[in-house]
Amino acid sequence: MTSGLELPQTLEGLHGRQVSLIQEETHQSLAKGELVTFTPTSIYTGFSIRCADPQAWVLVRSVHDPGQWTDFGRCGERKGNSLDSQNDAQSVPPGWLERPQSVEIWVFPADAPIGSSAGCDIEARKKGACNAPFDHETLTLAPELLANQIGPREGAPWWIGVYDTPR
């Protein structure tokens, strides 16, 4: 990967296994959840996300249990020829290989009000009684609250690659 914007066809997985690109999508949405549905070929499915704006914030969360599995951080922290996250035997739910699976990706602009929000819980935020920045916990449970505040819009492109072992 030379530009940081191209997804390689193969990567070394986090578990030492070679994985191949099985699906690639490009989006330009900011502050809008994008559902990415794929058909896994093994329990070692992994993800790589790249953004034209490396300072953009990225939230990846499980569709089946949004409060359990999440990954959050600046997009620029995701670099190099490696996966951002990868499943294994302990992380996949029962029936993983029996049907298509989905993750939800939220990309927020670099200047979104994200940080520490001491003393501001999710209930206060839902009532509009909090002006503090959004914290990790609030974002993983209810990213739509931040999306409603800043408004969904088109922005710089971002890419997701779904990787897995060949069948």
Side-chain angles (χ1 to χ4, degrees):
M1 179 179 303
T2 56
S3 69
L5 302 178
E6 299 172 12
L7 295 169
Q9 292 299 305
T10 60
L11 291 172
E12 180 78 16
L14 301 176
H15 303 287
R17 298 172 188 264
Q18 180 93 0
V19 290
S20 299
L21 186 64
I22 63 168
Q23 184 173 322
E24 179 178 6
E25 294 185 16
T26 303
H27 297 272
Q28 287 189 272
S29 57
L30 294 176
K32 177 180 180 264
E34 294 288 353
L35 189 66
V36 176
T37 301
F38 55 92
T39 302
T41 60
S42 78
I43 61 171
Y44 297 104
T45 311
F47 308 97
S48 181
I49 300 172
R50 301 294 182 263
C51 306
D53 178 359
Q55 293 301 308
W57 292 97
V58 178
L59 169 66
V60 183
R61 66 182 191 166
S62 166
V63 170
H64 302 294
D65 189 358
Q68 183 175 348
W69 182 86
T70 62
D71 185 21
F72 177 72
R74 294 275 189 185
C75 197
E77 295 170 1
R78 305 161 179 279
K79 54 190 167 198
N81 285 332
S82 62
L83 295 171
D84 297 319
S85 62
Q86 185 175 22
N87 292 317
D88 59 25
Q90 288 73 42
S91 64
V92 295
W96 177 256
L97 294 172
E98 297 170 10
R99 62 187 171 280
Q101 302 294 328
S102 299
V103 292
E104 184 181 50
I105 314 290
W106 292 78
V107 177
F108 293 98
D111 62 353
I114 296 172
S116 174
S117 62
C120 183
D121 65 19
I122 194 166
E123 292 307 316
R125 183 123 9 229
K126 285 180 181 177
K127 295 175 186 172
C130 181
N131 291 325
F134 284 75
D135 63 7
H136 178 263
E137 181 181 1
T138 301
L139 278 174
T140 58
L141 294 175
E144 64 278 357
L145 294 176
L146 176 56
N148 290 340
Q149 180 178 320
I150 65 175
R153 57 184 171 246
E154 294 293 306
W158 56 272
W159 298 261
I160 178 170
V162 180
Y163 291 83
D164 215 331
T165 57
R167 284 191 187 249

